[in-house]
Amino acid sequence: MKIRLRPIRADERLMVDVDGEAAGFVSYLKGRYGIRGDYYEIGCALLPAYWGRGIGWRAQALLTAYVFDHWPVQRVQAGTQPENVAERKALLKAGFREEGVIRASEFQAGQWRDGVLFSRLRDDPYPELSN
Ligand SMILES: CC(C)(COP(=O)(O)OP(=O)(O)OC[C@H]1O[C@@H](n2cnc3c(N)ncnc32)[C@H](O)[C@@H]1OP(=O)(O)O)[C@@H](O)C(=O)NCCC(=O)NCCS
């Protein structure tokens, strides 16, 4: 299986290409802490047929490498819902560390929900994609 990220006609998104088929997309959005603390926040959404096949964590590892290659930021972060076990595990496999709970970070189905924040720093170990 060959996983690649391909440009699409949308800012800050790349298509996840699996053996020549569109499997979903990844996104990257710039943010800033303080005066010079630029970072990127990434996201990933695959079509259901591609879930649980080792694509999500690899796509997010590839995207993180892409961000560090193209911008002089020190930090890439990603948030997810506490119950999204697949994304939490995918981020850990992609070399991210869990940082903590973001309280009341999104309003969904009529209520405020907590999130969990993960990050990878430029000098953190790069995961082996062939594992
Ligand atoms: C979340 C998502 C990107 C994860 O990608 P994926 O390709 O399905 O996950 P992977 O196959 O890379 O698996 C990564 C890890 O999660 C585990 N995992 C995958 N699906 C799982 C599930 N439904 N429940 C529990 N663990 C799961 C895998 O076993 C693997 O861990 P392991 O190696 O320790 O066993 C993908 O499922 C998806 O697009 N879901 C819908 C959109 C979404 O939730 N996006 C994130 C929004 S914050």
Side-chain angles (χ1 to χ4, degrees):
M1 180 169 65
K2 177 142 180 71
I3 304 171
R4 294 186 304 150
L5 301 180
R6 280 179 30 201
I8 51 180
R9 292 184 65 177
D11 288 345
E12 297 159 335
R13 284 186 186 197
L14 296 168
M15 182 200 296
V16 180
D17 176 315
V18 177
D19 295 334
E21 300 288 329
F25 69 87
V26 288
S27 61
Y28 52 99
L29 192 63
K30 194 173 186 178
R32 175 175 284 182
Y33 291 116
I35 299 172
R36 295 190 192 87
D38 289 353
Y39 66 88
Y40 274 87
E41 174 138 357
I42 66 163
C44 178
L46 302 178
L47 295 168
Y50 292 93
W51 292 357
R53 292 166 49 183
I55 297 165
W57 78 263
R58 289 185 174 87
Q60 291 176 91
L62 287 170
L63 177 63
T64 305
Y66 176 89
V67 169
F68 283 138
D69 277 353
H70 286 81
W71 293 279
V73 294
Q74 184 65 8
R75 170 187 173 85
V76 172
Q77 69 177 43
T80 191
Q81 296 87 9
E83 67 277 12
N84 194 337
V85 179
E87 176 64 351
R88 293 177 72 143
K89 283 186 172 180
L91 287 168
L92 293 175
K93 288 198 79 166
F96 283 66
R97 290 195 206 169
E98 186 174 324
E99 293 191 324
V101 173
I102 324 163
R103 294 190 302 157
S105 57
E106 66 176 348
F107 191 74
Q108 196 183 68
Q111 58 180 327
W112 283 98
R113 313 264 323 278
D114 290 347
V116 190
L117 189 65
F118 293 75
S119 71
R120 209 175 109 193
L121 303 187
R122 180 175 287 277
D123 298 328
D124 284 343
Y126 189 85
E128 182 54 62
L129 291 182
S130 58
N131 284 343

